[in-house]
Amino acid sequence: VPRAIAPHFRLRSPPPFTAVLRHLQTVGEGGGEELLSSWPSGCGVSAEAAFGQVLEYLEKEGLGSDKLAQLRPLAFLPVANATRLVPPGCLFIRLKEELSPLGYELPPVYTKYLELLRQLGVRDEPGAQALLAHIW
Protein backbone atom coordinates (compact mmCIF):
# COMPACT_ATOMS: atom_id res chain seq x y z
CA VAL A 1 0.00 0.00 0.00
CA PRO A 2 1.49 3.38 -0.91
CA ARG A 3 2.48 5.48 2.12
CA ALA A 4 0.16 8.31 1.11
CA ILE A 5 -2.96 6.20 1.48
CA ALA A 6 -1.87 3.92 4.34
CA PRO A 7 -3.30 6.23 7.04
CA HIS A 8 -6.73 6.06 5.38
CA PHE A 9 -6.71 2.30 5.93
CA ARG A 10 -5.35 2.72 9.47
CA LEU A 11 -2.18 0.88 8.51
CA ARG A 12 0.97 1.49 10.47
CA SER A 13 4.46 0.58 9.40
CA PRO A 14 6.07 -1.00 11.19
CA PRO A 15 3.04 -2.62 12.78
CA PRO A 16 2.68 -2.68 16.55
CA PHE A 17 4.14 -5.72 18.31
CA THR A 18 0.68 -6.84 19.45
CA ALA A 19 -0.50 -7.10 15.83
CA VAL A 20 2.57 -9.13 14.85
CA LEU A 21 2.11 -11.39 17.89
CA ARG A 22 -1.56 -12.07 17.01
CA HIS A 23 -0.57 -12.82 13.43
CA LEU A 24 2.16 -15.26 14.48
CA GLN A 25 -0.30 -17.01 16.83
CA THR A 26 -2.70 -17.47 13.93
CA VAL A 27 -0.25 -18.65 11.26
CA GLY A 28 1.45 -21.09 13.62
CA GLU A 29 -1.71 -23.03 14.47
CA GLY A 30 -1.42 -26.67 13.53
CA GLY A 31 2.27 -26.27 12.76
CA GLY A 32 1.45 -23.81 9.98
CA GLU A 33 0.87 -26.65 7.57
CA GLU A 34 -2.17 -25.01 5.97
CA LEU A 35 -0.28 -21.76 5.35
CA LEU A 36 2.88 -23.42 4.08
CA SER A 37 1.08 -25.91 1.82
CA SER A 38 -0.67 -23.03 0.07
CA TRP A 39 2.41 -20.78 -0.13
CA PRO A 40 2.44 -19.27 -3.63
CA SER A 41 5.56 -20.53 -5.39
CA GLY A 42 5.49 -17.76 -7.96
CA CYS A 43 5.26 -14.84 -5.53
CA GLY A 44 9.02 -14.27 -5.53
CA VAL A 45 9.40 -14.62 -1.74
CA SER A 46 10.08 -17.96 -0.09
CA ALA A 47 8.51 -18.83 3.25
CA GLU A 48 11.97 -18.78 4.81
CA ALA A 49 12.61 -15.26 3.49
CA ALA A 50 9.21 -14.03 4.68
CA PHE A 51 9.74 -15.33 8.19
CA GLY A 52 13.27 -13.91 8.05
CA GLN A 53 11.59 -10.52 7.64
CA VAL A 54 9.63 -11.25 10.82
CA LEU A 55 12.89 -11.96 12.65
CA GLU A 56 14.36 -8.73 11.29
CA TYR A 57 11.32 -6.83 12.58
CA LEU A 58 11.66 -8.49 16.00
CA GLU A 59 15.35 -7.55 16.17
CA LYS A 60 14.53 -3.92 15.42
CA GLU A 61 11.61 -3.94 17.86
CA GLY A 62 13.89 -4.71 20.77
CA LEU A 63 12.38 -7.45 22.87
CA GLY A 64 12.16 -7.30 26.62
CA SER A 65 11.59 -10.36 28.78
CA ASP A 66 7.78 -10.07 28.51
CA LYS A 67 7.80 -10.05 24.72
CA LEU A 68 10.35 -12.87 24.57
CA ALA A 69 8.14 -14.96 26.86
CA GLN A 70 5.15 -14.37 24.58
CA LEU A 71 7.09 -15.46 21.49
CA ARG A 72 8.89 -18.54 22.84
CA PRO A 73 5.96 -20.96 22.63
CA LEU A 74 4.81 -19.82 19.17
CA ALA A 75 5.45 -21.94 16.09
CA PHE A 76 6.68 -19.38 13.56
CA LEU A 77 9.92 -20.72 12.12
CA PRO A 78 9.76 -22.85 8.95
CA VAL A 79 11.67 -26.13 8.94
CA ALA A 80 11.74 -29.34 6.90
CA ASN A 81 11.86 -27.54 3.56
CA ALA A 82 9.22 -25.06 4.76
CA THR A 83 6.59 -27.74 5.36
CA ARG A 84 6.10 -27.05 9.07
CA LEU A 85 6.41 -24.18 11.56
CA VAL A 86 8.02 -24.83 14.94
CA PRO A 87 8.73 -22.76 18.05
CA PRO A 88 12.32 -21.58 18.54
CA GLY A 89 12.88 -24.11 21.33
CA CYS A 90 12.63 -26.93 18.75
CA LEU A 91 15.63 -25.59 16.83
CA PHE A 92 19.26 -26.48 17.37
CA ILE A 93 22.35 -25.07 15.71
CA ARG A 94 23.83 -28.53 15.20
CA LEU A 95 22.15 -31.92 14.97
CA LYS A 96 24.14 -35.10 14.57
CA GLU A 97 21.07 -37.10 13.62
CA GLU A 98 17.48 -36.66 12.50
CA LEU A 99 15.25 -35.83 15.47
CA SER A 100 12.04 -34.60 13.87
CA PRO A 101 9.41 -33.97 15.08
CA LEU A 102 11.17 -33.28 18.41
CA GLY A 103 13.96 -31.12 17.08
CA TYR A 104 15.25 -29.57 13.87
CA GLU A 105 18.49 -28.05 12.75
CA LEU A 106 18.41 -24.28 12.40
CA PRO A 107 18.01 -23.42 8.71
CA PRO A 108 21.18 -21.60 7.56
CA VAL A 109 19.16 -18.61 6.36
CA TYR A 110 18.47 -17.72 10.01
CA THR A 111 22.04 -17.73 11.34
CA LYS A 112 22.25 -13.94 10.99
CA TYR A 113 19.53 -13.74 13.67
CA LEU A 114 21.34 -16.10 16.02
CA GLU A 115 21.55 -13.73 18.99
CA LEU A 116 17.78 -13.13 18.91
CA LEU A 117 17.05 -16.81 18.30
CA ARG A 118 19.15 -17.82 21.31
CA GLN A 119 17.09 -15.42 23.44
CA LEU A 120 13.98 -17.16 22.09
CA GLY A 121 15.24 -20.64 22.99
CA VAL A 122 17.43 -21.96 20.16
CA ARG A 123 20.27 -24.06 21.60
CA ASP A 124 23.58 -25.30 20.24
CA GLU A 125 22.81 -29.01 20.55
CA PRO A 126 19.88 -30.97 21.91
CA GLY A 127 19.98 -32.40 25.38
CA ALA A 128 17.64 -34.98 26.83
CA GLN A 129 15.77 -32.35 28.85
CA ALA A 130 15.14 -30.17 25.77
CA LEU A 131 13.77 -33.10 23.78
CA LEU A 132 11.59 -34.30 26.64
CA ALA A 133 10.09 -30.83 26.97
CA HIS A 134 8.64 -31.17 23.47
CA ILE A 135 7.09 -34.56 24.12
CA TRP A 136 4.82 -33.30 26.87
Side-chain angles (χ1 to χ4, degrees), residues 18-36:
T18 54
V20 173
L21 182 65
R22 280 193 313 269
H23 184 70
L24 292 177
Q25 289 167 335
T26 301
V27 300
E29 289 177 0
E33 292 174 14
E34 183 179 333
L35 169 76
L36 295 172

Side-chain angles (χ1 to χ4, degrees), residues 1-3 5-16:
V1 175
R3 287 182 189 225
I5 63 171
H8 299 288
F9 290 103
R10 296 184 183 171
L11 297 177
R12 197 172 113 200
S13 182

